[in-house]
Amino acid sequence: MMGRTIFIDPGRCIGCQACVSACRECDSHRGKSMIHLDYTDEGQSVASLPTVCMHCEDPVAPCAEVCPADAILVTADGVVQQADTTRCIGCANCVNACPFGVPKIDLGAKLQMKCNLCYDRTAYGLAPMCATVCPTGALFYGTVEELQAERPGVQVADTFVFGSTEVRTGVAMVVPADKVQWPVPGGLPVVEINGKDVRR
Amino acid sequence: MPADQWHADQDGETLVPTHCCFCGVQCGMYLRVDRGGKVFGVEPRNHDINRMRLCPKGINAYQQVNHPDRLTAPLMRRSRDEEFAEVSWDEALDFTVSEIRRIQEMYGKDAFGLLGGASLFSEKTYLVGKFARVALKTKHVDYNGRLCMVSAAGANKLAFGIDRAGNPFSDILLTDCLLIAGSNVGECFPVLTQYVWGARDRGASLIVVDPRETAVARTADIHVALKPGTDSAFFNSLLCVIVEEGLADEAYLAEHTTGWEEVKAKALEYPPSRAAQICGVPAEQIFQVARTFARAPKAMAWHARGIEHHSQGVENCLTVINLCAATGHIGKPGAGYGTLTGQGNGQGGREHGQKADLLPGGRSILNEEHRRQICEIWGIEESELPTAGTSMMEMVWQMQRREIRGLIGICNNPFVSLPNYRVVKEGYDATEFHAQFDFFLSETAANAHVVFPVTTWAEDDGVMANAEARVVKHNKAQEPPPGVRTDTWVMCELARRLGAGDKFAFADSREVFEELRTASRGTVIDYYGITYERLEETGGIAWPCPSTDHPGTPRLFEDGRTYHEDGRIHLQAVEWHLPMDPYSDEFPMSLTTGRTVAHFLSGNQTRRLGALVEQTPRPWAEVHPSHGFRTGEPVRVVTRRGSEVFPALVTEAIRPDTVFLPYHWPVPTAANALTIDALDPRSKIPEYKVCACRIEHASELDTVPSPPVAPGHVAYPETQVSRTDPLPPTSPQGRGTSERS
Ligand code: SF4
Ligand code: SF4
């Protein structure tokens, strides 16, 4: 399966936002975090879930696909890079195309910014900042074998469904064992558009 | 290239290995230092405490080092009606010394007090104790660790004859049943969570006892959401089940303990049916917890302020010890007990004489033999050594009564951290002279006559002992900014001017540490075998460590013996009693307080760091949906001490009869304006974790004040950004970052 990548295990997340703070320390976008931390069940529970760039593989990263300026490069090892500053025109197409809501636009600078899997660190064999510091291992960087050696029996999924579209990603989710056969739902099914039930 | 050293030498940058300045986990980290010798970043460090992990406080800590709010010149004023002026070191020191002399000549030596802090390096806490007794010659010295874990310390001392956790963190990974009582591990000790999850991966059961459903409680096998202030009834009841179901380890008890019969008789008075009523939890849960804990091959109990911040804090901790002892879960890999220290040096801060009743090495100031030993090391007559003083809160009461007329505070911020703010303010206002050491102008320093600008943890060497009693070394990463001196220098200089210079001829931390090692030699808290070189080599050594070839003692009681002369655990029977602030029709609910992951203690440090302010800009009141509030609506929290208005954070993760407030902010949004200054009679810890309250609808929120800054400085804009935002964070851990560009 996949090589070294990030595994997300929401069951471990304590919502501390160390990942968010660490992401700000990354030399390639210092001062800004590219991680979203969502509290999924506000008012009921303290459950939380980090979203990092999923580095989509198949179909080729939607953000890169829609970029009119060819600013988003995908490296040979599957890392979807943040937009090349000499090419990006700040049009925000990528923001709209990403099924996970990852890229951000710096409106002032008219530049896109997104997680590039800490390419400046991973190129040296280091883990990305977020997964390095995450106190709980909710973000884990390594191979699936390394993950399973540390957490025996754990299962992962790297396929998400959005309606009828399946997206296979470079970053994987840790899922409960009995769910691993199926893709993880990536979004709520669309049932209504402009007040019309579109299921029929 | 080692995985965590990639940055070294890139562009002349260096990495200085050190530890986080904040909590008792003491995560290893590197500070990134630029070519000009300035700290500008952090890099995770593969230290065996944290294995690269850091929490948001640890990641942002470096930003305080060269923060624009740093104090860089002594501030002085002759009366509180005047404004501060920046003065020379000589002027500030001379004024301080003349005020000390004046007050002590007029009202006696003990009219001057000293309050230290448990975020100081151990060398400095040693100096605080020595400075008070040898230079000031006052008995009135205490420290803010008094607000932290003295209840656990007291209980451990009573039961085991030693004041520290029994097991290292790594034992958590080996246990089969982990009981966490009164500790929001996910937010207060985030990096420890990896050990908790590691235990869970191995199949250990997780039991969490907490009125709130915290991030760790959410995943627990059993979450006991008991009513604040009922812990000892609960733990007694567990013992009752254990006794009645024959689950006690009678052989262990007979061989290793005293007092079991009394403990057993008392426990039987708390059958689950009764405890369930007191604690407001299902009796079934009590059976479940008792059986799970007792039947586990190896079980551990870890606790923190949740059970310690009570008027029966010591007793609560004793009931946990009773539970571990009764089931034989002591002194084995994966079996034992631990206390989670709030402050970085909460453990080390009390070991070497900063506490009112203690001399270095944990010696008692009332013990003839101990006094003689220390006087010999310090080179003073025994008649010159004062006796025991009073605790931090009691000193404030004495200030209020004008029994203590002058005060020096080092590294503490009682205006935010002590309960019942009104009394604290009155106490401090009543002093004729007050000086404070700090690197930011804290709320307390802003009320002083003299403020000494001192170093951060990154500008000096020193050791701290973490929650495992593992001594770790912090290394100096940069020179202090011009105008800033080390606390060691200031104390030694004051001592010199007070005529005790020969006893304080320390050039640096290393020289103080050498004296501390010797002063602790032969005591229970033996540091003699610990040297700076060994600490650098090993990454930390747990005391006792009596000789330089001794490996240290990560786990206690492995030979089955405690530190009492008879080698036994002295069990103590405990009777539960109601909290000190009585419930009534007017005040029917419990108010409880605690921390949030983004902030540290009184917030003097973290409320100035942009990322942390943005994550949690303001306090809130956590209330259950049954009260009819919506999230963000103003809710007035009223206690017998006053009332304040917070935005509501409505959540089912809290008991309907309980309100939670995080305590890191000053008035008018200070939880501690509402909490009660009742103390545990033995440990003198305040009862922060429960007082009677009620909640009401309100129309306007109280605003969060900016942290004070020195005259001439402008409030750092980054910290102002979101403070005006009236909304609470979306979750106790902070604001979600759901803005999607
Ligand atoms: S650092 Fe880890 S535990 Fe903390 S919020 Fe991020 S993913 Fe969750
Ligand atoms: S867990 Fe404690 S020691 Fe570790 S980074 Fe956070 S505050 Fe610092």
Side-chain angles (χ1 to χ4, degrees):
Chain A
M1 208 184 146
M2 57 225 354
R4 293 178 83 76
T5 186
I6 291 181
F7 295 89
I8 306 173
D9 186 347
R12 295 182 170 242
C13 179
I14 52 171
C16 69
Q17 301 202 24
C19 50
V20 176
S21 269
C23 190
R24 285 197 183 95
E25 294 299 315
C26 174
D27 282 333
S28 63
H29 46 80
R30 198 127 194 230
K32 302 225 165 170
S33 171
M34 298 298 119
I35 292 182
H36 307 293
L37 205 268
D38 289 317
Y39 300 103
T40 54
D41 220 0
E42 275 168 40
Q44 259 83 55
S45 147
V46 289
S48 51
L49 164 77
T51 304
V52 296
C53 172
M54 301 300 285
H55 298 280
C56 302
E57 285 182 348
D58 183 25
V60 159
C63 58
E65 241 180 323
V66 299
C67 175
D70 271 346
I72 303 176
L73 179 92
V74 184
T75 64
D77 49 355
V79 174
V80 181
Q81 294 284 10
Q82 85 176 43
D84 180 339
T85 49
T86 63
R87 286 169 166 254
C88 177
I89 53 172
C91 69
N93 262 2
C94 52
V95 174
N96 297 320
C98 173
F100 299 100
V102 169
K104 295 184 177 188
I105 296 287
D106 180 334
L107 286 173
K110 282 217 160 237
L111 277 181
Q112 180 251 32
M113 279 183 308
K114 68 176 273 301
C115 152
N116 58 7
L117 207 72
C118 279
Y119 209 62
D120 54 337
R121 301 174 66 84
T122 49
Y124 284 88
L126 285 168
M129 264 300 223
C130 59
T132 307
V133 302
C134 171
T136 66
L139 294 169
F140 177 94
Y141 182 78
T143 63
V144 71
E145 291 77 23
E146 284 165 356
L147 176 81
Q148 285 168 337
E150 205 177 90
R151 303 174 199 172
V154 90
Q155 301 289 334
V156 302
D158 63 351
T159 310
F160 298 80
V161 287
F162 298 89
S164 58
T165 309
E166 263 193 26
V167 180
R168 200 162 58 77
T169 56
V171 165
M173 293 292 273
V174 176
V175 293
D178 57 336
K179 290 275 170 57
V180 74
Q181 318 301 348
W182 307 305
V184 178
L188 295 173
V190 180
V191 291
E192 213 175 74
I193 290 176
N194 292 339
K196 275 211 184 109
D197 191 334
V198 293
R199 279 171 301 183
R200 271 167 283 148
Chain B
M1 174 166 54
D4 53 345
Q5 282 179 14
W6 70 300
H7 260 300
D9 292 324
Q10 280 196 353
D11 301 318
E13 172 185 338
T14 44
L15 293 178
V16 177
T18 189
H19 291 262
C20 175
C21 56
F22 292 125
C23 84
V25 179
Q26 285 297 290
C27 296
M29 58 164 66
Y30 289 106
L31 287 174
R32 298 174 68 180
V33 180
D34 68 16
R35 220 190 298 243
K38 283 230 177 305
V39 169
F40 76 100
V42 64
E43 180 62 28
R45 173 178 170 205
N46 198 7
H47 188 279
D48 53 315
I49 293 174
N50 59 313
R51 293 176 287 187
M52 302 275 210
R53 323 291 206 204
L54 290 172
C55 84
K57 292 186 289 292
I59 293 162
N60 291 293
Y62 78 87
Q63 292 166 15
Q64 6 171 344
V65 181
N66 295 305
H67 194 286
D69 284 1
R70 278 292 296 274
L71 297 170
T72 49
L75 303 178
M76 199 180 114
R77 57 183 173 186
R78 287 184 183 270
S79 96
R80 289 196 178 85
D81 308 325
E82 292 168 20
E83 294 290 310
F84 276 126
E86 292 195 351
V87 297
S88 70
W89 274 94
D90 266 329
E91 197 176 339
L93 290 162
D94 283 343
F95 179 54
T96 304
V97 168
S98 72
E99 282 296 281
I100 294 172
R101 287 230 165 89
R102 181 183 68 78
I103 287 171
Q104 291 194 323
E105 270 159 28
M106 280 177 77
Y107 311 105
K109 294 282 184 206
D110 292 337
F112 206 92
L114 187 61
L115 282 172
S119 296
L120 289 165
F121 292 148
S122 295
E123 293 84 346
K124 297 178 181 180
T125 67
Y126 172 85
L127 270 187
V128 169
K130 183 172 178 182
F131 179 74
R133 279 106 180 204
V134 177
L136 290 177
K137 300 188 168 66
T138 176
K139 68 176 181 182
H140 284 308
V141 54
D142 207 48
Y143 77 126
N144 66 5
R146 183 69 73 175
L147 320 174
C148 181
M149 53 175 297
V150 281
S151 288
N156 294 340
K157 198 85 185 297
L158 275 170
F160 300 108
I162 186 170
D163 158 20
R164 56 157 276 200
N167 298 63
F169 293 150
S170 54
D171 270 6
I172 296 175
L173 295 167
L174 306 175
T175 194
D176 301 302
C177 174
L178 179 63
L179 186 151
I180 298 174
S183 174
N184 182 359
V185 174
E187 292 195 72
C188 305
F189 319 99
V191 169
L192 264 199
T193 317
Q194 62 177 321
Y195 291 92
V196 179
W197 286 179
R200 209 177 58 174
D201 289 343
R202 269 192 62 257
S205 16
L206 176 61
I207 302 165
V208 175
V209 183
D210 199 308
R212 299 163 76 209
E213 190 196 78
T214 59
V216 169
R218 181 174 77 84
T219 66
D221 298 274
I222 314 170
H223 170 210
V224 186
L226 47 56
K227 196 170 156 66
T230 62
D231 307 86
S232 60
F234 174 76
F235 283 101
N236 268 337
S237 189
L238 295 182
L239 262 198
C240 173
V241 176
I242 285 166
V243 169
E244 284 187 335
E245 301 196 350
L247 296 170
D249 188 341
E250 295 289 350
Y252 180 89
L253 285 160
E255 200 185 335
H256 295 292
T257 66
T258 64
W260 172 235
E261 287 310 315
E262 292 78 14
V263 169
K264 185 155 71 175
K266 188 48 77 187
L268 291 174
E269 293 173 21
Y270 293 84
S273 54
R274 177 176 175 218
Q277 286 238 306
I278 297 175
C279 308
V281 298
E284 194 42 47
Q285 267 195 341
I286 300 178
F287 285 104
Q288 241 185 325
V289 173
R291 290 170 189 153
T292 312
F293 192 87
R295 288 191 187 139
K298 289 169 271 127
M300 293 189 98
W302 286 78
H303 52 82
R305 306 306 84 71
I307 71 163
E308 296 160 17
H309 274 163
H310 289 280
S311 56
Q312 61 171 169
V314 175
E315 291 171 315
N316 286 344
C317 300
L318 284 168
T319 58
V320 177
I321 294 169
N322 292 347
L323 173 70
C324 293
T327 48
H329 292 315
I330 293 278
K332 287 174 271 189
Y337 72 98
T339 53
L340 296 165
T341 327
Q343 297 191 69
N345 204 19
Q347 174 69 43
R350 66 176 179 276
E351 293 168 354
H352 299 290
Q354 186 182 202
K355 201 165 162 232
D357 53 345
L358 290 187
L359 290 170
R363 292 180 179 89
S364 165
I365 201 162
L366 300 172
N367 178 309
E368 294 277 313
E369 175 66 21
H370 291 176
R371 290 170 65 86
R372 197 164 43 244
Q373 288 165 348
I374 284 303
C375 288
E376 205 166 295
I377 292 164
W378 284 351
I380 58 171
E381 288 301 315
E382 210 201 304
S383 54
E384 291 176 71
L385 186 68
T387 61
T390 51
S391 74
M392 187 159 181
M393 191 69 220
E394 290 170 311
M395 278 172 69
V396 173
W397 294 337
Q398 284 170 294
M399 281 148 58
Q400 215 186 2
R401 295 196 300 264
R402 295 179 198 272
E403 290 162 21
I404 293 177
R405 301 264 183 165
L407 184 82
I408 296 180
I410 306 178
C411 180
N412 55 40
N413 189 11
F415 276 39
V416 179
S417 63
L418 275 174
N420 202 352
Y421 170 76
R422 187 187 54 80
V423 167
V424 179
K425 175 91 166 82
E426 268 176 33
Y428 274 79
D429 277 348
T431 55
E432 293 172 19
F433 175 78
H434 167 209
Q436 199 65 32
F437 293 28
D438 217 322
F439 53 83
F440 291 134
L441 193 67
S442 69
E443 283 75 13
T444 308
N447 192 63
H449 294 94
V450 172
V451 184
F452 292 112
V454 288
T455 44
T456 64
W457 95 113
E459 291 148 1
D460 203 359
D461 291 315
V463 305
M464 295 211 194
N466 80 346
E468 311 161 287
R470 182 205 298 246
V471 181
V472 295
K473 178 152 187 285
H474 289 238
N475 294 312
K476 178 171 171 174
Q478 74 166 36
E479 285 302 326
V484 170
R485 307 283 163 88
T486 66
D487 318 67
T488 306
W489 184 89
V490 188
M491 278 188 273
C492 293
E493 189 55 29
L494 283 172
R496 193 178 67 76
R497 288 166 194 246
L498 285 165
D502 56 323
K503 312 279 190 301
F504 290 85
F506 300 107
D508 55 17
S509 298
R510 179 185 286 268
E511 290 185 12
V512 183
F513 188 69
E514 289 307 314
E515 186 174 303
L516 181 159
R517 282 177 62 210
T518 322
S520 74
R521 191 171 193 178
T523 65
V524 174
I525 308 175
D526 199 334
Y527 271 50
Y528 187 69
I530 303 176
T531 62
Y532 275 9
E533 287 69 26
R534 287 192 75 197
L535 289 177
E536 273 156 20
E537 240 165 68
T538 56
I541 299 173
W543 62 261
C545 178
S547 62
T548 45
D549 55 2
H550 190 284
T553 317
R555 188 182 301 112
L556 298 176
F557 325 126
E558 286 194 278
D559 57 359
R561 286 187 62 81
T562 68
Y563 288 75
H564 286 305
E565 241 159 58
D566 59 4
R568 287 171 179 259
I569 307 174
H570 295 186
L571 302 179
Q572 326 267 330
V574 169
E575 179 86 87
W576 170 77
H577 64 71
L578 273 165
M580 296 310 272
D581 207 20
Y583 298 111
S584 64
D585 290 346
E586 214 186 328
F587 300 105
M589 297 175 70
S590 312
L591 169 64
T592 192
T593 66
R595 284 160 64 173
T596 174
V597 64
H599 290 294
F600 189 65
L601 305 190
S602 80
N604 185 36
Q605 303 176 60
T606 53
R607 282 185 280 112
R608 299 174 195 265
L609 305 184
L612 300 177
V613 175
E614 193 181 295
Q615 181 172 341
T616 310
R618 60 163 302 132
W620 65 88
E622 220 166 295
V623 292
H624 190 267
S626 56
H627 301 289
F629 287 91
R630 279 193 321 245
T631 290
E633 264 183 322
V635 43
R636 180 183 302 280
V637 182
V638 193
T639 71
R640 294 191 173 86
R641 267 88 34 218
S643 80
E644 285 174 342
V645 183
F646 303 87
L649 180 61
V650 179
T651 173
E652 283 174 14
I654 190 163
R655 289 178 59 94
D657 59 4
T658 303
V659 185
F660 171 84
L661 293 178
Y663 63 62
H664 313 283
W665 288 265
V667 281
T669 49
N672 283 327
L674 308 178
T675 52
I676 182 174
D677 50 342
L679 306 180
D680 178 293
R682 280 191 273 202
S683 67
K684 308 290 165 74
I685 208 170
E687 185 152 65
Y688 290 108
K689 287 295 184 279
V690 56
C691 65
C693 78
R694 69 165 181 271
I695 52 176
E696 296 167 353
H697 284 272
S699 49
E700 237 174 281
L701 289 174
D702 287 330
T703 28
V704 184
S706 313
V709 290
H713 289 237
V714 248
Y716 191 44
E718 231 183 280
T719 62
Q720 307 300 311
V721 179
S722 28
R723 197 172 298 108
T724 45
D725 184 344
L727 288 178
T730 47
S731 174
Q733 305 100 313
R735 205 190 269 276
T737 54
S738 29
E739 60 31 268
R740 304 249 161 171
S741 98

